[in-house]
Amino acid sequence: MRRSIARLSRAMDRWRRPMTVLGIAAAILPGVAAVRRPDQQSAIYPPTVGVIVLLFVVALVILNVLNRRMPRTLEAHPGAFATPRHGAAVLMGVSCWGFIAVCVSVTWIDIAAGGDRWWLLATLVAVPVAGAVTRLMWVGAGVRLTPDGLSADRGLSSLWVPWDGLDPEQPARPDADFTLRLRLARPELAQRRGWAVEDDVVPVEGADPHFVAQAISHYVAHPEHRAALGKAAELERLGAALPTSGSAAVAQPDDTPEPEITRIGLAVRVLLVAGAFGVKHEEPVPDWLDAIATGAVIFGSMNLFGHLATRARNRRRRRRQRATRSLAAGRVDYST
């Protein structure tokens, strides 16, 4: 099953840009139809919300299956090695665009019916969100290792760092899920475009972050191998040169911060979604409150599914950590 899902994700990645255009067009059509025919809202919005949630869940399942065992390898491209990029992110982007279209159309209909125009300002928040989602759908997120340096695509920003700009002692280390934290010895050499919350954090979805960190450290320490980046023979040499996951030279998974997803946090999310769902079924409800409740149900459900998947990944990570420690101590942990 995992192989079939991996092939599906690769196929979506190859057709990423056509799927992005068609997906965004399909996502905004229900919102446009609702604005043109406000009397048909009850027939348009329920199935639209259902499709939005379904696409998000399908994308989340695909990503969760693929990331159970992240490969210790990179993809060879002309003149570069790159981390794999998940085509399933396009499905998640389409669901986000559908959510944005629903919120904007509901606000627009409310204003057209004489509602408060100040709510139109709230839709401006959708502009940067839509921009980040579209860019992630169009190019994906990941890291490329080139003979000149390291480049990364991230949401609303991109980053390029020459090899000389990285710390020679520890240029990169795994951060939270699917990300690396870079250490820059010469920050002035880095070139940044766009806006990012943390300039030194880069995504590595689709590849083992420990392996990618090892590869970066290898090319920082061995500049003589950089010219061969992008060649299949160099990728084989790199795999043989780096320590395996069972080696003591590999950074232990304990070095990676684990995002805390508590039971209380999950309970709060469930209560918020249930409360928003209850508000939607109260009569009478002002249109502006109904719009907020609709957004809370959709976004809260997506957030809840995402955090449940993170909890599952954390449990698998802790089992792997126990197995690794048991192996290092010379015993087998049969509880895993």
Side-chain angles (χ1 to χ4, degrees):
M1 178 180 177
R2 187 179 186 279
R3 291 182 179 179
S4 300
I5 291 178
R7 286 196 294 268
L8 174 62
S9 182
R10 286 195 295 270
M12 287 190 289
D13 185 46
R14 287 195 297 270
W15 293 91
R16 175 183 293 273
R17 295 188 176 181
M19 286 183 62
T20 297
V21 174
L22 294 176
I24 292 176
I28 65 176
L29 277 178
V32 174
V35 170
R36 292 177 61 87
R37 296 290 303 273
D39 57 312
Q40 297 295 320
Q41 292 182 68
S42 58
I44 294 174
Y45 284 136
T48 300
V49 172
V51 172
I52 289 171
V53 174
L54 177 63
L55 284 177
F56 185 85
V57 171
V58 169
L60 198 63
V61 169
I62 292 175
L63 295 175
N64 193 46
V65 170
L66 294 178
N67 289 327
R68 285 179 183 175
R69 295 193 306 272
M70 293 179 287
R72 289 178 54 82
T73 186
L74 299 170
E75 292 182 345
H77 295 272
F81 290 157
T83 55
R85 306 197 178 192
H86 292 316
V90 178
L91 296 182
M92 191 168 291
V94 172
S95 69
C96 291
W97 260 100
F99 167 70
I100 292 170
V102 167
C103 292
V104 172
S105 63
V106 168
T107 304
W108 188 274
I109 292 171
D110 182 53
I111 292 173
D116 193 344
R117 293 181 178 273
W118 286 103
W119 281 103
L120 189 61
L121 294 176
T123 62
L124 296 178
V125 178
V127 175
V129 174
V133 168
T134 302
R135 191 171 188 277
L136 287 173
M137 294 170 67
W138 190 257
V139 301
V143 171
R144 291 172 64 90
L145 309 182
T146 70
D148 298 324
L150 177 151
S151 64
D153 292 312
R154 314 173 293 186
L156 287 174
S157 70
S158 60
L159 173 68
W160 184 82
V161 184
W163 293 111
D164 292 341
L166 294 170
D167 184 357
E169 297 296 328
Q170 188 183 33
R173 68 180 299 272
D175 194 58
D177 281 350
F178 323 127
T179 59
L180 293 180
R181 186 172 294 275
L182 303 178
R183 292 183 61 183
L184 305 181
R186 302 176 63 185
E188 69 277 5
L189 296 180
Q191 298 179 12
R192 301 174 177 86
R193 293 183 179 179
W195 177 82
V197 177
E198 295 182 284
D199 279 339
D200 59 345
V201 174
V202 295
V204 289
E205 65 173 23
D208 185 347
H210 293 274
F211 177 82
V212 180
Q214 293 171 38
I216 294 171
S217 298
H218 181 80
Y219 287 113
V220 168
H222 300 281
E224 67 274 11
H225 295 303
R226 297 173 190 167
L229 282 166
K231 298 179 181 179
E234 172 62 15
L235 188 58
E236 293 181 5
R237 188 204 65 79
L238 176 68
L242 297 182
T244 61
S245 58
S247 170
V250 179
Q252 294 299 319
D254 293 331
D255 295 336
T256 305
E258 181 177 288
E260 289 294 331
I261 309 297
T262 64
R263 290 190 178 93
I264 294 178
L266 287 174
V268 169
R269 288 172 174 83
V270 170
L271 290 175
L272 287 176
V273 172
F277 193 78
V279 168
K280 280 188 61 61
H281 287 77
E282 288 292 329
E283 293 293 345
V285 175
D287 290 340
W288 62 268
L289 183 57
D290 185 73
I292 293 176
T294 300
V297 169
I298 298 174
F299 182 77
S301 299
M302 291 179 175
N303 185 269
L304 180 61
F305 284 129
H307 281 75
L308 287 172
T310 300
R311 282 181 64 90
R313 286 197 301 270
N314 289 344
R315 284 196 294 269
R316 288 194 297 271
R317 176 185 294 169
R318 286 192 288 269
R319 287 198 295 267
R320 289 195 298 268
Q321 290 172 356
R322 290 196 298 268
T324 301
R325 289 193 294 267
S326 298
L327 182 62
R331 63 179 186 275
V332 178
D333 184 359
Y334 292 99
S335 67
T336 61

